[in-house]
Amino acid sequence: MLRIGVAAAVFVIALTSTGSARGSDLPLFNFHRGDTVAIAIWRSADSQVVVAARHTATTDLNQGEGPPHQKDSNIFLCIQQPGRTICNRNATLSDDDFQVDRTLDTAVMKAVVPAEECSGVPVTCTEINLHIDLTWTASGPVDRNRFHNKLFAQVCHINEVGSLVSRHAEVRGSISDGTRQFIAGLDTVEATISKARLAWTGRGDQFCL
C-alpha cells in the first residue's frame, strides 16, 4: 500500500525493488491522492503542543470506480508538559469536524477526540477527551510548487506528478479537557494550511506504491 505523509509541506517517497522483470510484463497502475492539511505548533520554555488535521482522498482508477475511491479524515495531537504527555494518535474525524476553504483562506477544527494522558513514575496512563476549537486564518500569499519525476527500478516504472499549495496562517482558539486550557500562554511557532495533489501512473508490482 501507499504510504505518503504530508507534514509541514514535506513529501517523503520510499521505493524498494527486488527481482527482475521486463517492463511490458508488469501490471499497469493509475493511482491518485489528495491531502488537505492544517498544522499548528505552540511552544513555551518547557511545553509544546502539536496539531495536524487532514482530509485524504484516494482513487485507484484500475478499480473501475469514480473518484474518490476512498476518503479519510483524521487528526494527530500531542501535548508535552513537564512530567506529562497527552497524545492522540490519528483519531477519525467527520466532514463537519474539520473544514477547509477551497482557496485555503481558512480552516476550522471543532471536535471532541479521545486521547491518552500519561504521567508519574512508574508511568500510568488514563483515557481522556480533548475539546478542540481552532480556526486558521491565512496570513500570507499562496506558495505553489509542482514536480514531475520518472522513477525506474527493476520492477517499478513510475511516472509521478504532484503539486503543493500552502499558506502561512494565524491560528486561534482552544484545546482543553473541559478544565485545563493547554495552549493558553504558549507562543505559536508554526501554522499552515496546505493542499497536496499526487498521481502515480506506470507499471509495477503492488509494493511500488
Side-chain angles (χ1 to χ4, degrees), residues 171-187:
V171 60
R172 290 184 170 84
S174 64
I175 300 172
S176 76
D177 61 359
T179 301
R180 295 170 291 179
Q181 297 288 342
F182 294 109
I183 60 175
L186 275 63
D187 295 323

Side-chain angles (χ1 to χ4, degrees), residues 109-144:
M109 171 75 198
K110 290 186 178 181
V112 179
V113 299
E116 187 177 61
E117 179 173 353
C118 299
S119 62
V121 179
V123 175
T124 58
C125 299
T126 57
E127 299 293 327
I128 66 171
N129 287 322
L130 292 174
H131 301 257
I132 304 166
D133 186 353
L134 297 172
T135 299
W136 286 256
T137 303
S139 59
V142 175
D143 185 16
R144 301 179 186 272

Side-chain angles (χ1 to χ4, degrees), residues 36 38 40-41 47 62 64 108 121 132 146 155 157 173 180 183 200 209:
T36 303
I41 301 174
S47 300
N62 288 343
V108 178
V121 179
I132 304 166
R146 297 179 181 274
V155 291
H157 299 173
R180 295 170 291 179
I183 60 175
W200 296 268
L209 293 179

Side-chain angles (χ1 to χ4, degrees), residues 1 11 14-15 20 43 78 80 87 89 96 101 108 110 116 118 126 132 145 154 157-158 169 174 178 183 196 204:
M1 291 296 296
F11 293 99
L15 296 175
S20 63
R43 287 198 189 109
C78 200
Q80 297 173 306
C87 290
R89 305 293 181 181
D96 292 335
D101 182 84
V108 178
K110 290 186 178 181
E116 187 177 61
C118 299
T126 57
I132 304 166
N145 291 284
Q154 290 178 318
H157 299 173
I158 300 174
S174 64
I183 60 175

Side-chain angles (χ1 to χ4, degrees), residues 6-207:
V6 181
V10 176
F11 293 99
V12 178
I13 300 171
L15 296 175
T16 307
S17 61
T18 57
S20 63
R22 290 191 318 227
S24 60
D25 296 332
L26 300 174
L28 290 167
F29 56 80
N30 190 344
F31 193 90
H32 299 251
R33 174 168 175 154
D35 288 282
T36 303
V37 184
I39 294 173
I41 301 174
W42 298 264
R43 287 198 189 109
S44 67
D46 56 5
S47 300
Q48 176 174 278
V49 179
V50 178
V51 173
R54 169 168 35 203
H55 285 316
T56 299
T58 59
T59 302
D60 186 348
L61 293 180
N62 288 343
Q63 297 295 322
E65 297 185 22
H69 179 63
Q70 196 170 30
K71 294 177 69 175
D72 178 58
S73 297
N74 59 62
I75 181 172
F76 169 84
L77 190 156
C78 200
I79 300 164
Q80 297 173 306
Q81 298 178 328
R84 176 189 297 116
T85 61
I86 303 171
C87 290
N88 165 287
R89 305 293 181 181
N90 297 322
T92 300
L93 299 173
S94 71
D95 290 341
D96 292 335
D97 292 336
F98 177 49
Q99 300 181 17
V100 182
D101 182 84
R102 288 181 177 271
T103 58
L104 305 185
D105 287 333
T106 61
V108 178
M109 171 75 198
K110 290 186 178 181
V112 179
V113 299
E116 187 177 61
E117 179 173 353
C118 299
S119 62
V121 179
V123 175
T124 58
C125 299
T126 57
E127 299 293 327
I128 66 171
N129 287 322
L130 292 174
H131 301 257
I132 304 166
D133 186 353
L134 297 172
T135 299
W136 286 256
T137 303
S139 59
V142 175
D143 185 16
R144 301 179 186 272
N145 291 284
R146 297 179 181 274
F147 60 88
H148 182 187
N149 298 312
K150 292 187 177 181
L151 310 174
F152 297 96
Q154 290 178 318
V155 291
C156 298
H157 299 173
I158 300 174
N159 187 53
E160 175 189 70
V161 178
S163 65
L164 174 67
V165 181
S166 63
R167 300 187 74 177
H168 291 291
E170 295 180 356
V171 60
R172 290 184 170 84
S174 64
I175 300 172
S176 76
D177 61 359
T179 301
R180 295 170 291 179
Q181 297 288 342
F182 294 109
I183 60 175
L186 275 63
D187 295 323
T188 305
V189 296
E190 180 178 345
T192 58
I193 311 169
S194 62
K195 182 184 298 182
R197 297 291 180 263
L198 294 161
W200 296 268
T201 58
R203 292 182 178 271
D205 289 340
Q206 182 179 6
F207 69 79

